[in-house]
Amino acid sequence: MSDHDGAPRPTRGERVASVLDRRLPLSKAGKEFLRKAFPDHWSFLLGEVALYSLVVLVVTGVYLTFYFHPAMTESPYTGSYEPLHGVRVSEAYSSVLHISFDVRGGLLIRQIHHWGALVFLAAIGVHLLRVFFTGAFRRPREVNWTIGVTMFMLALLEGFCGYSLPDDLLSGTGLRTADGIMLSIPVVGTYLSFFVFGGQYPGEEIIPRLYVAHILLLPGLLLALVGVHLTFVVYHKHTQWARPGRTNRNVIGKPLFPQYTTKSLGLLLTLGGVLTLMSALIQINPIWEVGPYRTDHVSLDAQPDWYVGFLEGALRLMPAAETNFAGHTIVWEVFLPGVVLPALLFAVLYTYPFFERWITGPTPERHLCDRPRNQPTRTALGASAVTFYVVLLLAGGQDVLALVFRIPVEMVTYTLRAGLFVLPFLVYHATKRACLGLQAADRRSLLHGSTRAEVRRTSAGGYQDARSLLPGDDVYRILVREEPRPRAHGTEVWRWFRKHRIRNALSRWYYGKRVALPATDWQRARIEAVRAAPSEAEESERS
């Protein structure tokens, strides 16, 4: 149809869009959002792997809810798995066996869900490490860092709830451990255990409660935080690596649509295919082999999923110790590794950006990523923390290590106890020296260039490697770096009371060692211009 002047009449959809656009700036906002630039670097895909793993978890989880029955009522098993015929099992355990053996594609979907959970938590953890080592948590992204840490904590709880739902012997052992950790909390531990389990352990309420938390409460919080997290990413702009043309005031990359969207969609399909292939070829959590949970049964070779393996390892390494105080027994061997250690872990994660800002002093916005070698203390601390975690993870399977390598389990335990304190210390110093060595290598490259696949004869008759000047891109990447100086304000000689002494001492320890890089006055001026924050650039333009 057309109007009297021959122009085609707008369709109903076009008229609705026009009406909405006159009232809401959808067209303008949509164009700006779709043209949003995203830097193209492989390390930035780690967050997307976590996001798309969550998508896989939601899709497969919805499918599994159609067949899972979260009840602890016991009855003799009469399903397809004949070795368990006549054994009294809970309805939750029986429904998982039904999904695995009777529902078409049920075992595949269940294993995709389980592998997706492991990848989801691993992607969040590695993404947090990437943000930490590159300094992407600095102003103005402190709040987004705390949101990411909260998502990691909720993902741990979500994984533990899902792991416990089948009510098999392994998951029941995990719930028994969780109950012991709650009981170790002085004064309120008993009340907390009764509240969570709905009475004396194990009761009949824990599986339904974990089910509600697993499919409703925790996913709702996670999805809400994902939305807030991505909103902050769009609002604050994405961080980027220092390259020619990239400054602290712009973002250079591919637009969201169509280039980045196409690439991201390919990552989603690739991740889904890899998870499906893993689930089809690699068996995980065969609950029919360990049997249903019984409070008087214990399974050998029992390790939880990797993301709570550090907690299991801490419990195994802690020596037996308890104290009676004011009529209460404090079981240190459970309370310290099960309650204090995770609390300290997340306290450090939450407060670290503010600690670094405190010892650095007031700084403008930072949108360029740090090369880990240029912040040796931060990198060394991160490597030391990872080493501490790895030792605890190994301790979670110390019985398996003793069996495989035919070593007495006591020797494995004592070795890991020593390694828990010695290895992080050694890794810290080795990493810091390595970072300083890499800075020195950058300095040599700037002064003498890079080696070529040639050998030249000198005038004295000797031979040496031929060298060429570094390309401009490499010089830019090396020279553009943050160089904060140790703080000294508040400790002047003329002061009667030198305040901020502790803060300044920490600042000297954190920023005291650094290899100076050779640069001309023109290069230093250009570096300052590249590193200038948006607010600084606006002030210079006004002046």
Side-chain angles (χ1 to χ4, degrees), residues 68-70 90 92-93 96 160-168 171 175 206-212 214-215:
F68 180 72
H69 303 289
S90 66
Y93 184 83
V96 176
F160 179 76
C161 289
Y163 176 82
S164 303
L165 289 180
D167 198 28
D168 62 304
S171 64
L175 283 176
I206 186 61
I207 296 297
R209 292 182 178 184
L210 291 176
Y211 183 69
V212 171
H214 183 68
I215 70 167

Side-chain angles (χ1 to χ4, degrees), residues 161-225:
C161 289
Y163 176 82
S164 303
L165 289 180
D167 198 28
D168 62 304
L169 188 55
L170 285 177
S171 64
T173 303
L175 283 176
R176 174 79 267 186
T177 303
D179 179 59
I181 292 174
M182 285 184 283
L183 291 174
S184 70
I185 302 175
V187 183
V188 300
T190 304
Y191 302 99
L192 182 62
S193 175
F194 267 67
F195 173 77
V196 171
F197 288 92
Q200 188 70 34
Y201 174 87
E204 295 187 357
E205 299 292 334
I206 186 61
I207 296 297
R209 292 182 178 184
L210 291 176
Y211 183 69
V212 171
H214 183 68
I215 70 167
L216 183 63
L217 178 60
L218 294 174
L221 292 174
L222 275 172
L223 292 175
L225 288 177

Side-chain angles (χ1 to χ4, degrees), residues 145 346-356:
W145 168 267
F346 281 98
V348 170
L349 290 175
Y350 276 116
T351 59
Y352 190 87
F354 307 98
F355 164 76
E356 185 168 309

Side-chain angles (χ1 to χ4, degrees), residues 290-486:
V290 297
Y293 179 62
R294 292 287 182 271
T295 55
D296 58 338
H297 290 182
V298 177
S299 174
L300 296 176
D301 190 15
Q303 282 77 38
D305 284 341
W306 73 265
Y307 48 85
V308 289
F310 79 99
L311 191 61
E312 175 78 12
L315 291 168
R316 295 189 182 194
L317 291 186
M318 181 67 187
E322 64 179 43
T323 302
N324 294 317
F325 178 76
H328 298 280
T329 300
I330 304 177
V331 185
W332 298 109
E333 60 190 281
V334 180
F335 179 67
L336 288 180
V339 179
V340 176
L341 178 64
L344 287 177
L345 168 66
F346 281 98
V348 170
L349 290 175
Y350 276 116
T351 59
Y352 190 87
F354 307 98
F355 164 76
E356 185 168 309
R357 185 174 180 179
W358 178 61
I359 63 175
T360 305
T363 57
E365 294 182 1
R366 291 291 177 248
H367 302 288
L368 291 176
C369 294
D370 283 332
R371 298 175 75 197
R373 68 182 64 183
N374 292 333
Q375 297 295 340
T377 303
R378 180 204 296 157
T379 303
L381 288 174
S384 179
V386 171
T387 304
F388 186 83
Y389 175 84
V390 169
V391 173
L392 291 180
L393 188 62
L394 291 174
Q398 112 260 41
D399 54 340
V400 178
L401 293 175
L403 179 64
V404 171
F405 294 101
R406 298 181 180 180
I407 304 174
V409 68
E410 294 83 1
M411 181 180 296
V412 176
T413 302
Y414 290 130
T415 302
L416 291 173
R417 282 179 182 173
L420 188 64
F421 297 97
V422 175
L423 288 179
F425 176 81
L426 297 178
V427 169
Y428 170 82
H429 288 282
T431 303
K432 194 164 186 176
R433 294 303 305 171
C435 290
L436 294 173
L438 291 172
Q439 289 185 36
D442 287 340
R443 176 182 173 85
R444 289 193 299 270
S445 297
L446 291 173
L447 290 174
H448 307 294
S450 59
T451 58
R452 296 162 53 186
E454 297 179 7
V455 177
R456 292 179 178 177
R457 187 172 183 178
T458 64
S459 58
Y463 294 91
Q464 65 180 11
D465 293 331
R467 307 185 74 90
S468 60
L469 294 178
L470 288 181
D473 291 1
D474 292 341
V475 174
Y476 189 97
R477 175 172 53 88
I478 294 174
L479 289 180
V480 177
R481 67 174 188 175
E482 293 293 326
E483 295 184 343
R485 296 180 178 178

Side-chain angles (χ1 to χ4, degrees), residues 107 111 115 278-289:
L107 181 59
Q111 297 207 147
W115 279 117
M278 291 172 60
S279 304
L281 300 178
I282 307 174
Q283 180 175 264
I284 187 170
N285 197 20
I287 64 168
W288 51 88
E289 293 185 0

